[in-house]
Structures are given as structure tokens and as C-alpha cells.
């Protein structure tokens, strides 16, 4: 066979060998090829950026980090004083202490009796911050801590805590952030007596509980009604009374005896029949008045008739 005739075969053989070698070499140097591809993409300004799974979007260098840290530094005349900074630090500590107390006193609600001390401390430090009086170095922290930005974060935080205290009506149960009022202490004592009676009979027959704890529960209800009228109760008392009533009616299925409801039924019945009595009395009175008006008219007619008969005769 001549070389000229076998040339197509030789060309195909060379191309196959080159393709096999290229595939093997490509597998061995895949990382090198990827590096070269990245270099070519970085050198070409018009090349599109391809972000892979392992690629990092932004890796700041030492210079960029240094420049970012510089953003937190301002001239001394714009910074708050050390005195105001200390007040802000104390405010943060007392704020956290009060919030932690509120969370633990959420259920059952004991916001006023457990957290009045921490709220008093928070209020004192906020009063120092918001005061016009100058501190050391004739420095007032009201403007720098409360009014220096549009958000007024310190004021906003304190306002939220103050709103919780106001809605809880804790001032009705607390005396000068020092102790509970006498009315609150007396209610707690009466409540404990009622709950102690409940615990004594709750494992046994609830009929005995309803009978033996009736007086204690009635006294507690009457005391609560007086405090509600006199505005001397807070959220702690309201929540504890609601829970006690739920125990009495739903858990123990108790109610007041029938003789205690007789006055209520009598008054309700009287109020129900009062309109009927009113209309009945009005009807009888109008009938009687009609009769009084008719009698003189008949008498007059009879007299006139007699006079006419006398004239005719």
C-alpha cells in the first residue's frame, strides 16, 4: 500500500491520538485551566464577572478595614462627655434589669409588687439624664442624649417602660417606690387565706370546698369590689382576682348558696313588674277621673230637664 493511499488513515490516527491526550491532560490540569480562566477574566475589562459557589463577593483588605473603623471617630466637640457616657451606661444596666423583671413577672402578673424597685431606679437615672441641672464641668446630658438625633432612642425606650407602668396602674399599689400600700397588703393576705382554703380541699370533695371556703371567698370578693370602687387596685390585684374566680366557678364548680341570691331575685322581679304596676295604676286613676267628670254633667242635665217640665206644666 502506498503512502499516498494511506494518508487519510494516518490523519485520522493522529487526530484520535491528539484528542485522547488532550482529554487526559485536561483532567489533570483542570485547576490550572480554571486559574488561567480567572486570570483572563480579571485582565479583560469587558469580560462579564462570573460568581461561583466558592467565590467571595467582597473581601476588604487591611486598608478598607482601617478606613471603616475611622468612621466611628468624630471630633471631641461632637462626642458626649464622660459624665453623660456614664449616665447612659447606668441607664442601660437598669433598663435591662427592669425588662428582665417584667418578663419573669408576666404570668401570673406581678409587675407592680415585684418590679417597683427596678422601675424606681430606672426612673431616677432617667430624671438625671433629662434634667436641666449641670453635671461636672457644667455639662447637661439632656440635649446630647435625648435630642441629638431624630429617633431619640433613650427617650423612646423609657417611654415604652413608662407606658407599661401606667397601664398597669401600679401607682395605686405602690407607696413611693418603697413598699406596697396597706390596701394591697391586706388584699394579698385575704387572697392567701382563700387560696389556702382551696388547697386544703381541692384534692377531696369539692362540695366541702364550696361550703367551707364560702366565707373566705365572699370576703375576698367584697374587698375587691371596694378597691375597684375606690381606685386602689392595680393589674396584679385584678389578675389574681380573675384567676381566683376562675378556680371557684370553673375548676371547683362552686357558686353561692340559694339564700344569698334571694335578694337579687326579689329586686330583679320588682324591677320587672314595675312598668306593669305603673301602667295599671295609671289606668285605674284615669277611669276614676272619668267617673268624676261624668257625674256633674248628668246632674246638670237632670236639673235642666226638671226646669223645662215645670215651665210646661
Amino acid at each position: 500500500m502506498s503512502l499516498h493511499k494511506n494518508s487519510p488513515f494516518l490523519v485520522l490516527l493522529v487526530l484520535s491520538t491528539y484528542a485522547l491526550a488532550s482529554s487526559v491532560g485536561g483532567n489533570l490540569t483542570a485547576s490550572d485551566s480554571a486559574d488561567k480562566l480567572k486570570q483572563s477574566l480579571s485582565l479583560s475589562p469587558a469580560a462579564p464577572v462570573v460568581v461561583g459557589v466558592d467565590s467571595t463577593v467582597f473581601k476588604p483588605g487591611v486598608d478598607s478595614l482601617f478606613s471603616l473603623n475611622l468612621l466611628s471617630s468624630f471630633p471631641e466637640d461632637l462626642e458626649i462627655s464622660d459624665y453623660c457616657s456614664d449616665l447612659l451606661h447606668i441607664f442601660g444596666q437598669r433598663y435591662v434589669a427592669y425588662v428582665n423583671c417584667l418578663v419573669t413577672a408576666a404570668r401570673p402578673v406581678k409587675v407592680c409588687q415585684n418590679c417597683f424597685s427596678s422601675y424606681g431606679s430606672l426612673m431616677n437615672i432617667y430624671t438625671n439624664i433629662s434634667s436641666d441641672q449641670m453635671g461636672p464641668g457644667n455639662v447637661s446630658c439632656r440635649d446630647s442624649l435625648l435630642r441629638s438625633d431624630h429617633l431619640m432612642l433613650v427617650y423612646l425606650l423609657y417611654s415604652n417602660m413608662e407606658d407599661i407602668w401606667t397601664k398597669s396602674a401600679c401607682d395605686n399599689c405602690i407607696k413611693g417606690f418603697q413598699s406596697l400600700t396597706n390596701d394591697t397588703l391586706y388584699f394579698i393576705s385575704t387572697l392567701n387565706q382563700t387560696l389556702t382554703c382551696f388547697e386544703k380541699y381541692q384534692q377531696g370533695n369539692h362540695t366541702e370546698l364550696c361550703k367551707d371556703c364560702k366565707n373566705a371567698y365572699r370576703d375576698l370578693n367584697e374587698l375587691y369590689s371596694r378597691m375597684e370602687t375606690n381606685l386602689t387596685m392595680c393589674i396584679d390585684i385584678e389578675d389574681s382576682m380573675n384567676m381566683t374566680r376562675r378556680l371557684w366557678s370553673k375548676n371547683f364548680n362552686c357558686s353561692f348558696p340559694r339564700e344569698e341570691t334571694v335578694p337579687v331575685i326579689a329586686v330583679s322581679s320588682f324591677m320587672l313588674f314595675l312598668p306593669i304596676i305603673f301602667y295599671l295604676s295609671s289606668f285605674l286613676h284615669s277611669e276614676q277621673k272619668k267617673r268624676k267628670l261624668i257625674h256633674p254633667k248628668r246632674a246638670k242635665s237632670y236639673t235642666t230637664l226638671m226646669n223645662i217640665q215645670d215651665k210646661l206644666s
Side-chain angles (χ1 to χ4, degrees):
M1 184 179 293
S2 63
L3 181 61
H4 177 72
K5 294 181 179 180
N6 294 331
S7 58
F9 176 76
L10 292 175
V11 172
L12 293 175
L13 181 61
V14 171
L15 291 175
S16 301
T17 304
Y18 177 76
L20 180 61
S22 298
S23 61
V24 175
N27 293 331
L28 293 176
T29 60
S31 59
D32 296 338
S33 299
D35 294 336
K36 291 180 180 180
L37 179 60
K38 291 180 181 179
Q39 292 177 2
S40 63
L41 291 175
S42 62
L43 292 175
S44 177
V49 179
V50 180
V51 180
V53 177
D54 297 332
S55 63
T56 304
V57 177
F58 176 70
K59 290 183 178 180
V62 177
D63 296 337
S64 61
L65 287 177
F66 182 71
S67 63
L68 287 176
N69 289 333
L70 288 179
L71 294 178
S72 62
S73 177
F74 293 98
E76 293 182 358
D77 56 343
L78 297 179
E79 293 285 351
I80 63 175
S81 64
D82 293 337
Y83 171 71
C84 296
S85 180
D86 292 339
L87 288 182
L88 183 61
H89 180 69
I90 297 173
F91 175 84
Q93 290 179 334
R94 295 183 180 182
Y95 187 90
V96 171
Y98 181 55
V99 171
N100 289 335
C101 182
L102 290 178
V103 173
T104 56
R107 293 303 310 159
V109 179
K110 296 181 180 179
V111 171
C112 303
Q113 55 184 315
N114 287 0
C115 304
F116 68 88
S117 178
S118 58
Y119 178 74
S121 300
L122 178 65
M123 187 182 67
N124 289 336
I125 191 62
Y126 182 81
T127 301
N128 292 334
I129 292 175
S130 60
S131 176
D132 291 333
Q133 297 180 357
M134 298 296 180
N138 294 327
V139 176
S140 176
C141 301
R142 184 182 63 179
D143 294 334
S144 60
L145 295 181
L146 299 183
R147 301 179 179 177
S148 59
D149 59 274
H150 179 71
L151 181 60
M152 296 189 297
L153 183 59
V154 176
Y155 169 77
L156 186 63
L157 291 173
Y158 178 77
S159 297
N160 292 334
M161 298 299 102
E162 186 181 32
D163 188 51
I164 294 175
W165 182 267
T166 303
K167 289 182 178 180
S168 301
C170 291
D171 288 335
N172 296 334
C173 295
I174 305 301
K175 182 169 57 179
F177 298 104
Q178 299 295 327
S179 62
L180 300 175
T181 61
N182 294 332
D183 292 337
T184 304
L185 292 174
Y186 182 69
F187 178 85
I188 294 176
S189 176
T190 307
L191 174 65
N192 290 336
Q193 293 178 4
T194 304
L195 295 180
T196 301
C197 185
F198 287 174
E199 293 176 357
K200 182 179 179 181
Y201 295 98
Q202 66 178 353
Q203 300 298 334
N205 189 358
H206 288 173
T207 304
E208 295 294 328
L209 184 148
C210 299
K211 179 181 178 181
D212 294 340
C213 302
K214 178 191 65 175
N215 293 331
Y217 179 73
R218 180 180 56 193
D219 294 341
L220 182 66
N221 269 282
E222 293 176 353
L223 176 60
Y224 178 80
S225 299
R226 290 196 302 268
M227 296 182 70
E228 188 177 18
T229 303
N230 299 331
L231 300 178
T232 57
M233 70 174 190
C234 55
I235 189 62
D236 297 10
I237 295 177
E238 181 180 351
D239 183 73
S240 60
M241 191 67 220
N242 289 336
M243 295 178 63
T244 306
R245 287 174 174 174
R246 194 178 303 120
L247 285 174
W248 175 264
S249 59
K250 293 185 178 181
N251 291 43
F252 304 140
N253 197 23
C254 296
S255 60
F256 285 115
R258 183 178 179 84
E259 60 268 13
E260 296 185 3
T261 61
V262 170
V264 178
I265 297 175
V267 173
S268 301
S269 301
F270 175 77
M271 296 299 294
L272 180 64
F273 286 101
L274 187 61
I276 300 175
I277 297 174
F278 173 77
Y279 285 114
L280 182 60
S281 61
S282 299
F283 176 76
L284 294 176
H285 181 70
S286 62
E287 288 294 328
Q288 185 178 4
K289 193 172 182 181
K290 262 185 198 177
R291 292 176 183 176
K292 288 182 179 179
L293 290 175
I294 290 173
H295 286 299
K297 186 176 180 181
R298 289 181 178 178
K300 185 177 180 181
S301 301
Y302 178 75
T303 304
T304 304
L305 181 62
M306 293 296 295
N307 292 333
I308 295 173
Q309 289 180 356
D310 292 337
K311 289 180 181 180
L312 293 176
S313 60

